[in-house]
Amino acid sequence: MSTLRIARCGLCIALLAVASSISIPLGPVPFTLQTLVLAMLPIALGGRDAVVTVALYLVLGSLGLPVFSGFSGGIASLVGPTGGFLWGFLVGTASAALILGIERMPERAREALAVTSMLLISYLLGTLQLMVLMGLDIVGALAIAVLPFIAPDIVKLVVGVQVGRIVRRATSRTRNAQA
């Protein structure tokens, strides 16, 4: 991995941490800007680097660094009621990376499908872990963990993809100028 790629991944880990610190508690699942950054990552960095970024973010958080919402960190964050969303970020980003690799699809359709997949997987894993650990049924879990977030998350996905495109164009111009 080149120095530039390492620096970009490190900067994006910091962006994830900052985005998670902007947190509004809405019951057990807080509103954060993580989804915006997560939508940006595969578009701006490419699939593999986005997955590496999210994986390292989770490792840093699991080691106790306060990079998760509410300045939390530690294994308890990953195995607690909302930890499934964090795992969903990683699995969802991997899914987005795979979808972005499908060359037969138009680029905008790939991007839309990729970030939608990332969000749906995060919702799925987050809802499942919340149900198990809080003893909720599917309706109760969806009511507190998904439904209040759908509209704001769609906005964050749209903005994240747009920012990702801008970053990708800017970094490709930088690389072309250096060549």
Side-chain angles (χ1 to χ4, degrees):
M1 193 178 241
S2 72
T3 305
L4 178 61
R5 286 176 61 200
I6 292 169
R8 288 173 59 203
C9 289
L11 178 61
C12 287
I13 291 168
L15 282 173
L16 271 172
V18 169
S20 71
S21 71
I22 300 167
S23 178
I24 301 169
L26 296 175
V29 181
F31 173 88
T32 71
L33 293 180
Q34 285 170 309
T35 310
L36 189 150
V37 175
L38 288 162
M40 180 202 78
L41 292 178
I43 309 300
L45 298 178
R48 190 174 87 193
D49 287 352
V51 172
V52 167
T53 297
V54 175
L56 289 172
Y57 168 74
L58 293 179
V59 167
L60 292 172
S62 71
L63 292 173
L65 273 76
V67 296
F68 300 144
S69 66
F71 296 101
S72 64
I75 295 292
S77 297
L78 295 172
V79 299
T82 60
F85 292 98
L86 295 170
W87 293 113
F89 294 162
L90 180 60
V91 176
T93 301
S95 170
L98 290 172
I99 292 167
L100 288 173
I102 301 171
E103 299 281 329
R104 297 172 298 218
M105 256 179 159
E107 182 178 42
R108 299 223 180 222
R110 276 192 321 236
E111 291 172 347
L113 184 58
V115 298
T116 301
S117 162
M118 180 272 304
L119 182 62
L120 291 177
I121 289 170
S122 177
Y123 281 165
L124 174 68
L125 295 180
T127 301
L128 288 174
Q129 190 161 325
L130 191 68
M131 287 172 58
V132 169
L133 295 180
M134 293 188 72
L136 299 171
D137 63 5
I138 187 73
V139 174
L142 289 174
I144 61 173
V146 175
L147 295 177
F149 299 94
I150 292 174
D153 281 348
I154 290 170
V155 171
K156 290 185 279 184
L157 291 182
V158 169
V159 172
V161 167
Q162 294 302 320
V163 172
R165 288 179 186 149
I166 292 166
V167 170
R168 182 180 63 217
R169 280 194 300 274
T171 56
S172 70
R173 280 195 296 255
T174 302
R175 274 185 259 133
N176 292 337
Q178 292 174 349

